[in-house]
Amino acid sequence: MASSAVRALMKNSTLKRGATFITSITEARPYSQHGVREFSCGYALWNASGRSSTFESEDLLRNLSKVVPPATRRLSGEPEKAFTDDEDSEVLDYPGAKTTFTHELKFIPENAAEPVPCYRLLNDFGQPLPWAQLPQMDAELARKIYSHMVSLQTMDLIFYEAQRQGRFSFYMTTHGEEAINIATAAALSPEDVLFTQYREPGILMWRGFSLESFANQCFGNRDDLGKGRQMPVHYGSRELNYFTISSPIATQLPQAVGAAYGLKMDNADACAVAYFGDGASSEGDFHGAMNFAAILETPVVFICRNNGWAISTPTNDQFRSDGIVVKGRGYGIRSIRVDGMDALALYSVVKEARRMAIEESRPVLIEALTYRVGHHSTSDDSSKYRNKAEIDHWKLVRDPVLRFRKWIEAHGWWDVDSEKKIRSEARAAVIAAMNKAGRKEKPHLSALFEDVYDSVPSHLKEQDSQLREVIARHPEDYPTDVPTQ
Amino acid sequence: MALSQGIMAASVVDCCSRSWSALALGQNVGPIRWISLIVTKTRKVLTIQASTAEEPASFGPSSQKLWTPKLVTNAVATKQDAPATTGAKGGHELLLFEALREGLEEEMERDPTVVVMGEDVGHYGGSYKVTKGFAEKFGDWRALDTPIAENSFTGMAVGAAMTGLRPIIEGMNMGFLLLAYNQISNNCGMLHYTSGGQFTIPCVIRGPGGVGRQLGAEHSQRLESYFQSVPGLQMVACSTPYNAKGLMKAAIRSNNPVILFEHVLLYNLKETIPDEEYICCLEEAEMVRPGKDVTILTYSRMRHYVLQAAKTLVSKGYDPEIIDIRSLKPFDMYTIGNSVKKTHKVLIVEECMRTGGIGASLRAAIMENFFDYLDAPIGCLSSQDVPTPYSGPLEELTVVQPHQIISAVEKMLSE
């Protein structure tokens, strides 16, 4: 086919006798997997008489510039149109990327010229910024948000001290991240399924998890929903759509995508929400989850609490990108950076992100900038790796609870008396809940062997009876608050 | 019913009281079975026992007597008096991977919450064609093609399972699921427990494993040894089209996370399986060939090597009892125990490595429960503790071969 076409061309051409030229031979192939009619371009060397032959290298070089390099590309079907002078305007349609060519040897800089700006509505003193468009929030909602933030802060303070006194073995506080906990929870609906890291108990609190339930879990007593099987702060509640926390970092992220996949299948008016910290963005699961979420177009909202520290690792040692927000673009995910200590901004952002996730069935990434005022946990002493002045500044001057309080006070929805009242009430409630939980029995011995499987298999029944035999023989060596009967 | 030689039933029951625990708790054991168990202690085969046992048959599934399969809707062990067999009249012939596909397809039709996810399971139809046609039939959301991130799609399955779906995760090769180890052990295995029973993870993790033909070390992994100590997981290994389909269906219906081990070399095994619906019990071992001289415990591809060796052994006059243990976690100590009490000699033939393999655990379990019944130390033939080499002859040397099984049995029975 090719040679007859070329010969016909040559017959009609005005080429001088003896001149050699290079032309492209096109051969149509059926539609490829990408739906593109691919043509392969090769080139043959023809002399004026229509027979291919060898020729001088100079001629070759001279004529090569006229030849388009072999590439598969969309052609109009007219081979002549394959040749253009402006090669940069040609479209490259490799399966991996469909873009234009460039002749500039230019690398994309590792960071953009400016860091991504951060969305905020209230300044550090709780005053609305001049251009801020505040969300719709009435007095009741504002007071509810504030009182939950106070409850959370109080619970953290008292439970932390309780751990120090040996009442339970472990605790993690959310100081500095109260706004992230409560304001984001307020923007979600109860059907949204939550996959959290461990610094988000406020969301459970917002949904109605009682102080006693928190205390039960920390004590691991018989009323703990987890039946004493998980570390403190690893809450879980099926009823409140809050999945039991698992300690390894970032493992909840692909799980959130899976849940969103299920929600999308059901066409539910709900999304999956995954919380994680700055350190978690280094985990492989973060990458996998973001990638999957983008490909599957699942309604999942990723909320990153960038609090500057992953135990003792500051963010500069965790990643070199401009935070986590820019990673969204790396996966094709819409993202935004927000002030994580501004309750109003968080509320607005999460509301909008949730709407986008559900209506457009897409993942959204929110990076909430904040500061981890407390230690990583009760097993950590952060004064070892950061200075006290820095911690105090964030604790006292940049407290998100205080900031929101200033805003509601300015609206006349709060005052000093309400503050005194709520603080003392919260304190009393937390202490009462803790004392009540501390007096309860531990879970029954059979809770050790149940729920490993849907029913207790024979080898576990054997192990259970062997254990009971040993306890019966040496009761003094076993705890008295674990009922065996 | 008189017992011979004045052995008191009470004292017999007493010695094996610990062994009874496995079967006495909640299991439906008919009276005939009890008597046959007591009787075997005297090493006499009475007519009572013979009438309840199957006809002594030559081995292999197709030569077992006719068994009408009964649809069992719960996957928790319900002991059958007859072994799980095939050989129903009629039926259709197919290859193992087609049996897996049939089981999977039936379950996906039956239950809209069953989904499959993995690499190339959608439009490509699966690397071993187990999900061929599923994307067209069920849509590419229920036969989901995932990017290459095993830990992530296993995590996805855990999240989906917790919201009410029943996902099946296909690892292109079992060895790749090592990348998903965290999600499998820390999450699949644990979350039902740590959530206090609030969340269940009814997922199935499956894929081809075992030593193939010159696939190299990374593609020749035997993950059953790595996963066996993870609490919360159930593990089963299929070896024939019949049990592949049955186990697949049972695993999907189970509310526990189940790992279904398929073998890369068994996908083209052909067999006639029943037309009617059936499932296999997940916790049950399969009596492949009843015998009396030695109990050979095996699973997956080694079953076929054992059967091959058994031909020679039978021709030499030995009578091995071959059990395909099928359930790798938990072990079916009921079937295994009965066999040990009958033959008093055990040989385990497995493809796992010697150290820390299924054979190692099985030996410990048998010794712990049935020590009094053993006449000889438990033999165990396993693969060498080396990464599987690519070179064909070297690879053969790392895996147990039929002649080794023959000589091990001969040695055991000559002592």
Side-chain angles (χ1 to χ4, degrees):
Chain A
M1 171 201 92
S3 51
S4 55
V6 167
R7 267 188 234 112
L9 238 182
M10 286 171 56
K11 266 199 195 134
N12 295 328
S13 74
T14 52
L15 286 170
K16 283 186 207 148
R17 202 172 190 28
T20 57
F21 67 100
I22 299 169
T23 187
S24 67
I25 299 173
T26 60
E27 194 181 89
R29 280 210 225 114
Y31 282 98
S32 73
Q33 155 196 36
H34 299 278
V36 169
R37 195 167 179 82
E38 285 177 325
F39 291 80
S40 70
C41 303
Y43 34 91
L45 310 168
W46 300 88
N47 62 18
S49 57
R51 267 187 236 111
S52 59
S53 61
T54 56
F55 50 94
E56 303 299 327
S57 54
E58 283 163 16
D59 284 339
L60 175 61
L61 286 168
R62 214 182 316 127
N63 287 303
L64 261 179
S65 60
K66 289 206 197 97
V67 176
V68 178
T72 53
R73 43 207 253 124
R74 250 183 242 107
L75 293 178
S76 62
E78 295 164 58
E80 293 79 11
K81 288 218 173 114
F83 296 84
T84 59
D85 288 330
D86 182 8
E87 286 171 8
D88 285 356
S89 72
E90 286 156 12
V91 170
L92 176 67
D93 63 351
Y94 283 117
K98 291 176 180 21
T99 179
T100 50
F101 284 107
T102 176
H103 58 271
E104 278 182 35
L105 181 63
K106 198 170 119 184
F107 288 80
I108 302 169
E110 61 275 16
N111 279 311
E114 295 290 326
V116 171
C118 180
Y119 179 74
R120 91 182 336 203
L121 295 173
L122 301 177
N123 67 15
D124 281 338
F125 306 104
Q127 296 155 340
L129 293 161
W131 56 86
Q133 284 187 304
L134 302 185
Q136 288 274 55
M137 191 178 283
D138 58 9
E140 196 190 322
L141 180 59
R143 279 197 283 260
K144 187 175 176 194
I145 291 177
Y146 183 71
S147 56
H148 277 82
M149 285 208 272
V150 168
S151 260
L152 178 61
Q153 208 175 46
T154 312
M155 180 178 84
D156 277 349
L157 281 164
I158 293 172
F159 280 17
Y160 185 89
E161 289 309 315
Q163 191 279 343
R164 284 286 177 249
Q165 290 163 17
R167 299 198 64 185
F168 36 81
S169 64
F170 180 80
Y171 194 72
M172 297 175 95
T173 61
T174 63
H175 295 313
E177 300 179 46
E178 293 91 345
I180 293 178
N181 270 257
I182 305 295
T184 59
L188 299 171
S189 88
E191 293 80 38
D192 295 330
V193 294
L194 294 161
F195 290 83
T196 58
Q197 186 65 70
Y198 43 53
R199 225 179 278 285
E200 302 89 358
I203 310 169
L204 263 182
M205 197 179 256
W206 179 267
R207 289 187 173 189
F209 207 60
S210 65
L211 290 169
E212 222 178 279
S213 306
F214 283 112
N216 287 337
Q217 200 282 334
C218 289
F219 279 106
N221 64 30
R222 64 147 201 269
D223 286 339
D224 169 24
L225 290 176
K227 300 186 190 164
R229 293 162 185 164
Q230 250 301 14
M231 292 173 75
V233 310
H234 288 61
Y235 310 108
S237 164
R238 181 170 199 104
E239 200 195 315
L240 301 177
N241 279 325
Y242 189 102
F243 291 107
T244 304
I245 293 168
S246 173
S247 311
I249 301 289
T251 57
Q252 75 276 14
L253 300 179
Q255 292 170 4
V257 178
Y261 158 83
L263 291 171
K264 182 171 169 174
M265 218 184 241
D266 290 339
N267 244 323
D269 180 22
C271 62
V273 188
Y275 290 78
F276 59 102
D278 42 290
S281 71
S282 298
E283 279 278 359
D285 272 348
F286 166 80
H287 162 79
M290 296 280 280
N291 199 30
F292 278 55
I295 293 161
L296 300 175
E297 294 171 12
T298 47
V300 53
V301 178
F302 292 105
I303 301 180
C304 176
R305 301 174 287 97
N306 184 346
N307 60 23
W309 295 92
I311 309 189
S312 68
T313 309
T315 49
N316 190 52
D317 286 340
Q318 195 72 250
F319 42 73
R320 285 300 161 91
S321 55
D322 173 23
I324 282 100
V325 63
V326 293
K327 295 189 207 247
R329 179 155 269 191
Y331 298 103
I333 292 180
R334 206 170 277 179
S335 41
I336 189 168
R337 173 174 268 169
V338 64
D339 183 347
M341 288 173 149
D342 179 346
L344 281 185
L346 283 163
Y347 180 83
S348 295
V349 164
V350 173
K351 242 195 157 52
E352 177 60 14
R354 180 183 181 273
R355 184 202 64 75
M356 268 197 275
I358 297 172
E359 282 175 23
E360 297 171 42
S361 194
R362 58 162 64 247
V364 182
L365 171 66
I366 299 170
E367 180 186 17
L369 297 176
T370 180
Y371 188 84
R372 192 196 79 208
V373 170
H375 307 300
H376 164 72
S377 71
T378 48
S379 311
D380 175 46
D381 174 14
S382 58
S383 61
K384 287 204 176 97
Y385 49 82
R386 47 185 195 176
N387 64 57
K388 196 150 189 317
E390 178 189 315
I391 303 171
D392 283 341
H393 167 77
W394 287 96
K395 183 169 167 179
L396 303 165
V397 178
R398 313 284 288 271
D399 182 14
V401 185
L402 180 62
R403 195 157 145 196
F404 192 64
R405 181 178 134 199
K406 292 251 179 287
W407 185 72
I408 57 173
E409 278 176 350
H411 268 266
W413 297 337
W414 202 254
D415 55 25
V416 175
D417 291 327
S418 318
E419 181 67 19
K420 265 197 224 144
K421 183 160 169 266
I422 203 182
R423 290 278 171 184
S424 62
E425 272 174 8
R427 193 179 160 75
V430 171
I431 291 174
M434 189 172 69
N435 288 335
K436 189 163 176 208
R439 283 192 293 268
K440 287 189 188 159
E441 268 183 337
K442 295 298 181 224
H444 197 277
L445 183 63
S446 55
L448 186 56
F449 298 100
E450 282 162 2
D451 298 325
V452 181
Y453 296 99
D454 56 354
S455 59
V456 187
S458 58
H459 68 287
L460 286 183
K461 281 191 183 135
E462 248 180 72
Q463 290 172 20
D464 186 356
S465 59
Q466 279 166 11
L467 179 59
R468 281 168 200 275
E469 268 177 54
V470 176
I471 293 176
R473 279 206 296 269
H474 305 278
E476 68 283 359
D477 291 327
Y478 282 86
T480 49
D481 55 352
V482 177
T484 52
Q485 297 315 318
Chain B
M1 146 85 231
L3 287 170
S4 62
Q5 295 180 8
I7 290 176
M8 299 299 290
S11 66
V12 167
V13 170
D14 194 45
C15 334
C16 41
S17 61
R18 276 200 308 144
S19 337
W20 291 117
S21 64
L23 53 94
L25 290 164
Q27 308 296 356
N28 213 2
V29 182
I32 302 294
R33 206 60 162 156
W34 281 78
I35 291 166
S36 71
L37 286 162
I38 295 167
V39 158
T40 53
K41 175 70 172 166
T42 67
R43 301 184 200 189
K44 280 200 193 281
V45 178
L46 295 186
T47 45
I48 295 281
Q49 185 179 29
S51 68
T52 57
E54 302 72 44
E55 309 301 328
S58 61
F59 45 86
S62 53
S63 57
Q64 298 275 0
K65 72 168 195 216
L66 186 70
W67 178 69
T68 324
K70 185 177 69 170
L71 181 64
V72 179
T73 51
N74 63 310
V76 177
T78 50
K79 301 299 177 196
Q80 318 258 359
D81 282 328
T85 67
T86 57
K89 282 217 177 69
H92 53 286
E93 201 181 42
L94 42 53
L95 305 175
L96 196 145
F97 78 89
E98 291 170 340
L100 287 166
R101 190 199 307 153
E102 230 179 61
L104 195 41
E105 197 169 347
E106 282 174 18
E107 290 304 302
M108 286 182 80
E109 279 168 3
R110 176 181 174 269
D111 185 352
T113 61
V114 178
V115 298
V116 184
M117 48 181 86
E119 294 152 17
D120 299 315
V121 300
H123 293 276
Y124 187 69
S127 321
Y128 292 90
K129 300 281 167 277
V130 174
T131 53
K132 189 165 180 205
F134 282 26
E136 289 80 17
K137 183 167 179 183
F138 300 107
D140 50 18
W141 203 239
R142 274 184 83 192
L144 188 69
D145 273 326
T146 61
I148 308 175
E150 283 79 7
N151 206 33
S152 301
F153 65 70
T154 310
M156 224 183 107
V158 171
M162 298 208 292
T163 50
L165 291 177
R166 304 184 82 91
I168 296 147
I169 302 148
E170 175 173 312
M172 192 181 277
N173 185 285
M174 270 285 169
F176 306 155
L177 289 179
L178 286 171
L179 289 153
Y181 204 107
N182 177 65
Q183 290 285 354
I184 293 172
S185 74
N186 274 334
N187 293 321
C188 266
M190 264 189 214
L191 271 159
H192 183 62
Y193 187 77
T194 57
S195 68
Q198 293 182 86
F199 300 110
T200 55
I201 323 266
C203 67
V204 177
I205 299 164
R206 51 161 291 269
V211 177
R213 293 227 195 288
Q214 297 192 260
L215 296 177
E218 297 95 344
H219 298 92
S220 310
Q221 295 275 37
R222 285 132 277 178
L223 253 56
E224 54 268 25
S225 47
Y226 305 148
F227 285 125
Q228 64 174 323
S229 57
V230 177
L233 295 179
Q234 218 175 330
M235 305 197 315
V236 287
C238 63
S239 49
T240 64
Y242 178 82
N243 62 36
K245 179 176 174 184
L247 290 173
M248 171 73 94
K249 288 169 74 86
I252 294 170
R253 293 185 195 189
S254 168
N255 279 331
N256 296 315
V258 179
I259 307 187
L260 171 58
F261 291 95
E262 300 153 16
H263 198 284
V264 67
L265 291 182
L266 296 182
Y267 276 138
N268 288 328
L269 207 59
K270 200 184 274 197
E271 195 185 5
T272 305
I273 66 169
D275 287 327
E276 55 271 30
E277 197 180 9
Y278 70 93
I279 65 174
C280 291
C281 179
L282 284 178
E283 293 89 4
E284 194 179 67
E286 190 177 320
M287 176 66 72
V288 181
R289 180 192 188 280
K292 58 174 173 43
D293 287 345
V294 60
T295 299
I296 304 181
L297 301 173
T298 181
Y299 67 94
S300 193
R301 182 227 199 172
M302 285 295 133
R303 165 193 174 136
H304 302 281
Y305 271 19
V306 166
L307 289 175
Q308 200 181 323
K311 283 190 189 139
T312 313
L313 286 170
V314 167
S315 68
K316 288 190 177 179
Y318 298 107
D319 188 16
E321 176 152 295
I322 302 171
I323 295 176
D324 180 343
I325 60 173
R326 253 172 34 186
S327 173
L328 305 178
K329 184 182 167 82
F331 293 128
D332 180 4
M333 295 314 287
Y334 176 77
T335 308
I336 294 169
N338 283 343
S339 181
V340 172
K341 287 175 198 169
K342 189 164 47 156
T343 65
H344 311 286
K345 294 197 169 72
V346 182
L347 175 67
I348 301 169
V349 180
E350 58 161 356
E351 209 178 49
C352 275
M353 314 282 192
R354 188 140 202 88
T355 305
I358 294 290
S361 303
L362 190 50
R363 264 174 145 170
I366 296 172
M367 189 228 63
E368 191 177 20
N369 287 302
F370 306 116
F371 182 73
D372 292 331
Y373 295 91
L374 291 171
D375 280 349
I378 303 169
C380 185
L381 295 175
S382 349
S383 296
Q384 323 283 12
D385 280 328
V386 298
T388 313
Y390 164 80
S391 151
L394 287 181
E395 181 185 68
E396 257 179 50
L397 291 171
T398 67
V399 177
V400 176
Q401 299 296 327
H403 64 86
Q404 285 173 271
I405 303 170
I406 296 167
S407 45
V409 170
E410 284 180 330
K411 185 156 176 253
M412 206 176 243
L413 293 179
S414 65
E415 280 161 0

